[in-house]
Amino acid sequence: MFDSDFADRFVQLLRWRRDVRHFAPDAVPEQDMHELLTCAALAPSVGNSQPWRFVRLRSVTVRDALVAHVDEQNALAAERYQGQERYETYRKLKLHGLREAPELLAVFCDEKPEAGHGLGIATMPEALRYSCVTAIHTLWLTARLRGIGVGWVSILDPAAVRAMLDVPADWSLIALLCIGFPQDEFDTPELERQGWQLREPLLDRVFER
Amino acid sequence: MFDSDFADRFVQLLRWRRDVRHFAPDAVPEQDMHELLTCAALAPSVGNSQPWRFVRLRSVTVRDALVAHVDEQNALAAERYQGQERYETYRKLKLHGLREAPELLAVFCDEKPEAGHGLGIATMPEALRYSCVTAIHTLWLTARLRGIGVGWVSILDPAAVRAMLDVPADWSLIALLCIGFPQDEFDTPELERQGWQLREPLLDRVFER
């Protein structure tokens, strides 16, 4: 079903997927947003529990509150590098596009989903959260092949963001995503280009037992 | 770079990716295993920390111990359904292919990686584990387009498995993967075909704020 041409282009998709923080102002067509969410829901999930809950941000007030919260958390995170050579590099990094991205999407995990009937989570309840991550990653790749960029913001207090978005107590925040057309396209990570962290050799990651 | 033909086939890839528990005995060519791991390492990671650690299982003794452990955990998990109508359905489900799969791969997260220098994990250290999940999902899709199946086993005690594999204390187990050629191919989840859990409507998963 999948020939070597598809396989080659799939690797290109992986190579060109980026975490995007610089967005053009163009709106994401509604049809694209629909396709992104539809594809995300094809992701694997433990017990077929489909525990992902997608919250599209529409309110300008909530966006402003999120920006203020993340900027505050980022200032706190920066302090961890004070006195280190990396401090100035850190402060120069643009770590989110929450202000500019035309679409913000918060992804939550329902920690007590009815679907799946508890299969596969007796000992690893975190498999529910991992299922949500596969949905996010599916959305990310689906976006990229349409020329749409995604940025994952993790410099935030998940409980605070949950409260801002007023979602059920059993939902935990997995990711806050910025979605929109990237200003530029690169095949190397921004953190690599900015000298923060290079890609490491695969051999350092593979072991045998 | 990615035309509509590629986009269509990518959706087919998502639709045909399955959690595989029934494996043919054929070995996975070493070149494929190399490609799977190479592609997995192209996954996004918080701060470019690349916290994934892949452990390929070679030892028959360790495999036997893993099988015994998972079967035991599965028997305990089954007890949760006793007295319910689902009990018999659960007991009939084949939930892992640990005995037959030609390749077993344990994926760990290094919770204290040097790479990434702590970026993005001040408030959400779980982003490291989520990065490992994107690597697993990348490997999964890369396998599927080569006709190779992957099954994710989560019915296990992660600490016990970590001990069996004798890895550093800072590594946490994210997944135990069975890898090999599937006996059959399906475009619907096995849990759907067995009447455990159907796919639910996307609209139940999307909200606005």
Side-chain angles (χ1 to χ4, degrees):
Chain A
M1 193 182 303
F2 303 106
D3 57 15
S4 68
D5 173 62
F6 178 80
D8 291 346
R9 284 201 284 171
F10 180 74
V11 177
Q12 288 306 311
L13 178 63
L14 300 177
R15 288 200 180 281
W16 282 88
R17 178 214 48 76
R18 288 276 68 76
D19 189 277
V20 174
R21 299 104 190 250
H22 301 266
F23 292 96
D26 314 68
V28 179
E30 192 55 32
Q31 180 57 35
D32 282 319
M33 286 302 292
H34 179 74
E35 191 68 20
L36 263 53
L37 293 166
T38 303
C39 285
L42 294 173
S45 64
V46 62
N48 203 12
S49 56
Q50 308 154 64
W52 38 75
R53 304 292 181 265
F54 302 106
V55 180
R56 288 183 71 176
L57 270 285
R58 302 294 201 178
S59 153
V60 174
T61 316
V62 175
R63 182 191 287 250
D64 288 347
L66 283 169
V67 168
H69 173 74
V70 171
D71 282 345
E72 183 190 312
Q73 294 294 317
N74 194 32
L76 289 171
E79 284 175 20
R80 292 158 43 123
Y81 301 99
Q82 251 177 350
Q84 293 179 35
E85 213 178 310
R86 291 185 170 268
Y87 183 57
E88 285 309 314
T89 311
Y90 187 91
R91 283 165 44 100
K92 280 183 207 146
L93 295 171
K94 178 172 169 65
L95 292 172
H96 72 79
L98 289 172
R99 278 180 186 79
E100 309 86 35
E103 296 279 346
L104 301 185
L105 185 72
V107 185
F108 291 88
C109 175
D110 184 344
E111 303 275 358
K112 302 263 172 66
E114 219 182 287
H117 311 283
L119 190 146
I121 54 172
T123 55
M124 291 190 78
E126 61 268 41
L128 290 168
R129 298 190 280 280
Y130 297 168
S131 303
C132 297
V133 175
T134 67
I136 292 164
H137 186 241
T138 304
L139 183 149
W140 204 336
L141 294 174
T142 306
R144 178 62 191 84
L145 70 84
R146 294 170 167 256
I148 299 167
V150 172
W152 180 327
V153 183
S154 65
I155 306 174
L156 50 80
D157 172 356
V161 171
R162 188 181 61 194
M164 280 180 215
L165 296 183
D166 189 24
V167 298
D170 281 340
W171 292 14
S172 53
L173 183 80
I174 306 299
L176 177 60
L177 304 179
C178 301
I179 304 176
F181 292 94
Q183 278 185 7
D184 302 288
E185 305 203 6
F186 299 97
D187 68 348
T188 48
E190 184 159 336
L191 292 179
E192 192 171 322
R193 297 195 308 278
Q194 304 290 332
W196 186 265
Q197 175 65 55
L198 296 179
R199 195 175 294 287
E200 304 219 311
L202 178 62
L203 277 182
D204 291 356
R205 282 10 191 195
V206 181
F207 305 81
E208 298 196 347
R209 287 292 186 276
Chain B
M1 189 181 306
F2 303 107
D3 56 15
S4 67
D5 174 63
F6 178 80
D8 291 346
R9 284 202 284 173
F10 179 75
V11 177
Q12 288 305 310
L13 178 63
L14 300 177
R15 288 198 179 282
W16 282 89
R17 178 214 46 76
R18 288 276 69 75
D19 189 277
V20 173
R21 299 105 191 250
H22 302 265
F23 292 95
D26 315 67
V28 179
E30 193 55 32
Q31 180 58 35
D32 282 320
M33 286 303 292
H34 179 74
E35 189 69 19
L36 263 52
L37 293 166
T38 303
C39 285
L42 294 174
S45 64
V46 64
N48 205 11
S49 55
Q50 308 155 66
W52 38 74
R53 304 292 181 265
F54 302 107
V55 180
R56 287 183 70 176
L57 270 285
R58 302 293 202 180
S59 153
V60 175
T61 317
V62 176
R63 182 190 287 251
D64 288 347
L66 283 170
V67 169
H69 173 74
V70 172
D71 282 345
E72 184 189 311
Q73 294 294 317
N74 194 31
L76 289 172
E79 284 174 21
R80 293 159 43 122
Y81 301 99
Q82 251 177 352
Q84 293 179 35
E85 215 179 308
R86 292 186 168 270
Y87 183 58
E88 284 309 314
T89 311
Y90 186 91
R91 282 166 44 101
K92 281 183 206 148
L93 295 172
K94 179 170 168 67
L95 291 173
H96 71 80
L98 289 171
R99 279 181 186 78
E100 309 86 35
E103 297 279 346
L104 301 185
L105 185 72
V107 185
F108 291 88
C109 175
D110 185 343
E111 304 275 357
K112 303 261 172 68
E114 218 182 289
H117 310 283
L119 188 144
I121 54 173
T123 54
M124 290 190 78
E126 62 267 41
L128 289 167
R129 298 191 281 281
Y130 298 167
S131 304
C132 297
V133 175
T134 67
I136 292 164
H137 186 241
T138 304
L139 182 149
W140 205 336
L141 294 174
T142 305
R144 178 62 191 85
L145 69 85
R146 294 169 166 257
I148 299 167
V150 172
W152 180 327
V153 183
S154 65
I155 305 174
L156 49 80
D157 172 356
V161 171
R162 189 181 59 194
M164 281 179 213
L165 296 183
D166 189 25
V167 298
D170 282 338
W171 293 12
S172 53
L173 182 79
I174 306 298
L176 177 60
L177 303 178
C178 301
I179 303 175
F181 292 94
Q183 279 185 6
D184 302 288
E185 305 202 7
F186 299 95
D187 68 348
T188 48
E190 184 157 336
L191 291 179
E192 193 171 320
R193 297 195 308 279
Q194 304 290 331
W196 186 265
Q197 175 64 55
L198 297 179
R199 195 176 296 285
E200 302 219 313
L202 177 63
L203 277 183
D204 291 357
R205 301 322 201 228
V206 181
F207 304 83
E208 298 196 347
R209 287 294 186 272

